Amino acid sequence: MSRTLLILAILLSCLLYPYPANPSNQGEIKIVVSIYPLKDIVEQVCGKKVMVDYMVPPGASPHTFEPKPSDMKKLERANILFLIGGGFEFWADKVIRSLSKKPRIVVLSRGLSLLKEHSHTHGTEEIFDPHIWLDPLMVISIVERIRDVLIDSDPSGRVYYTQRSEAFKKEILKLHSRITESVKGFRIREFVTFHSAWNYFSKRYGLRVIGTIEESPGKEASPVHIARIIEEIRKSKARVVFAEPQFNPKAAEVIAKETGSRLFILDPIGDPRIRGRDSYISLMDYNLSILEKALK
């Protein structure tokens, strides 16, 4: 009888105070990132051990995003804030200064070789292209930085974070191989994009962006700029224009119609609500499938 009572007591204790599968998986670390693809990249490294949230909502443009009070609370609860940097999160400095409790800020583009922006300038200040996540090989460096930050914040998870990061890096290299092999068969290698998101991708895989419809982040193209893009297309062999789901496609449609170009949709941000664009790898495979339709 006493043995039965002991067993029942142990079972009751387990129900009331369950021992965690991983002692460090207590939810102490809360991470916020700026955009959805970065959320997935972080989660590929941290798995279920860490809570990860993101700022820019699905379907919105990160170039016009304005944080709400709920976003501020999200940041104040965070331990780490991962940013792309390079001016991409134009809202970040002001928002961070206003926080009563500040997370650790990690700028993932720091230390990487960034491309200079030629489409717009701010006086004598050099402006860099921040769209590094669209180059898979640069994402490998991002993954390694995320791994190191997680290990620094949670040393007990070193083996776990290392194993997951290595597995994800292998998937990224497979993605890189798929893109490299596919691009070999592209008949067209020049095109127009909606904004300057695809320069790293194009440089990595031997393609060329001959013009961008958006003159500067968040600014609609002027008639003069549209006329310039139309002239560039007519001078080149390119007859392909790429719009993006986060932006109004009207200007892209006008340019495509005026030049007899075909119009396609590339997605640099992805969307957790859309199957096939709800992870970094699937998003890049989606974009590769669109490029294959447009350029082969």
Side-chain angles (χ1 to χ4, degrees):
M1 184 71 178
S2 58
R3 185 179 179 184
T4 303
L5 288 173
L6 178 62
I7 292 171
L8 287 172
I10 292 170
L11 289 173
L12 182 60
S13 175
C14 289
L15 289 171
L16 291 174
Y17 306 104
Y19 189 79
N22 190 315
S24 63
N25 188 11
Q26 302 287 332
E28 293 103 340
I29 303 175
K30 295 182 178 65
I31 292 175
V32 173
V33 304
S34 54
I35 54 173
Y36 179 71
L38 190 51
K39 176 182 187 289
D40 181 67
I41 291 168
V42 172
E43 286 181 334
Q44 293 299 328
V45 181
C46 72
K48 300 297 184 183
K49 283 172 65 67
V50 178
M51 293 175 58
V52 187
D53 206 344
Y54 61 108
M55 296 288 285
V56 181
S61 166
H63 298 295
T64 57
F65 169 70
E66 291 292 341
K68 299 176 181 177
S70 58
D71 296 315
M72 307 289 280
K73 291 179 182 177
K74 190 186 297 183
L75 288 174
E76 289 185 333
R77 290 193 295 265
N79 304 106
I80 304 169
L81 171 60
F82 283 111
L83 300 174
I84 296 294
F88 184 69
E89 295 92 355
F90 64 93
W91 44 265
D93 287 345
K94 181 181 177 181
V95 167
I96 290 166
R97 281 196 302 269
S98 69
L99 296 176
S100 59
K101 179 180 177 293
K102 295 176 175 56
R104 175 182 178 182
I105 312 299
V106 180
V107 179
L108 294 167
S109 62
R110 192 163 291 157
L112 299 179
S113 180
L114 302 184
L115 299 174
K116 291 181 182 178
E117 284 273 23
H118 299 295
S119 59
H120 54 93
T121 58
H122 291 250
T124 57
E125 182 187 357
E126 287 187 323
I127 305 300
F128 293 95
D129 183 344
H131 301 89
I132 53 175
W133 71 93
L134 295 170
D135 177 345
L137 295 190
M138 293 192 91
V139 171
I140 287 180
S141 297
I142 291 172
V143 167
E144 291 171 347
R145 182 81 186 281
I146 292 166
R147 175 203 62 202
D148 292 346
V149 170
L150 287 170
I151 290 172
D152 184 56
S153 299
D154 176 21
S156 68
R158 175 183 291 274
V159 173
Y160 181 79
Y161 300 133
T162 300
Q163 288 176 342
R164 287 189 64 90
S165 63
E166 289 304 309
F168 187 44
K169 282 160 62 178
K170 288 178 182 178
E171 292 304 308
I172 294 170
L173 288 173
K174 289 178 185 177
L175 168 67
H176 169 65
S177 295
R178 289 196 296 275
I179 298 171
T180 301
E181 191 61 32
S182 180
V183 168
K184 289 178 183 177
F186 285 9
R187 182 175 51 86
I188 302 167
R189 307 186 82 81
E190 296 181 334
F191 45 83
V192 167
T193 60
F194 193 89
H195 85 296
S196 58
W198 299 95
N199 294 324
Y200 289 100
F201 183 95
S202 297
K203 182 181 180 183
R204 176 69 65 191
Y205 299 110
L207 305 173
R208 181 169 173 256
V209 177
I210 64 167
T212 55
I213 296 169
E214 187 183 60
E215 292 185 73
S216 61
K219 180 182 177 183
E220 286 190 14
S222 66
V224 172
H225 183 70
I226 290 175
R228 190 181 301 126
I229 296 294
I230 289 171
E231 184 61 25
E232 285 294 323
I233 292 174
R234 286 174 176 165
K235 285 192 299 185
S236 75
K237 294 180 181 179
R239 290 293 183 271
V240 176
V241 175
F242 292 111
E244 294 174 13
Q246 294 83 22
F247 297 94
N248 187 329
K250 185 177 179 181
E253 290 168 354
V254 168
I255 291 169
K257 184 177 180 180
E258 286 294 317
T259 58
S261 299
R262 294 181 298 159
L263 181 64
F264 296 87
I265 304 291
L266 289 177
D267 186 355
I269 301 295
D271 192 324
R273 304 168 301 182
I274 301 175
R275 187 176 180 182
R277 281 187 264 170
D278 54 356
S279 72
Y280 175 73
I281 297 291
S282 68
L283 173 65
M284 295 302 290
D285 277 328
Y286 161 81
N287 286 313
L288 178 59
S289 72
I290 297 301
L291 288 165
E292 287 172 342
K293 291 176 186 176
L295 304 179
K296 278 193 173 181

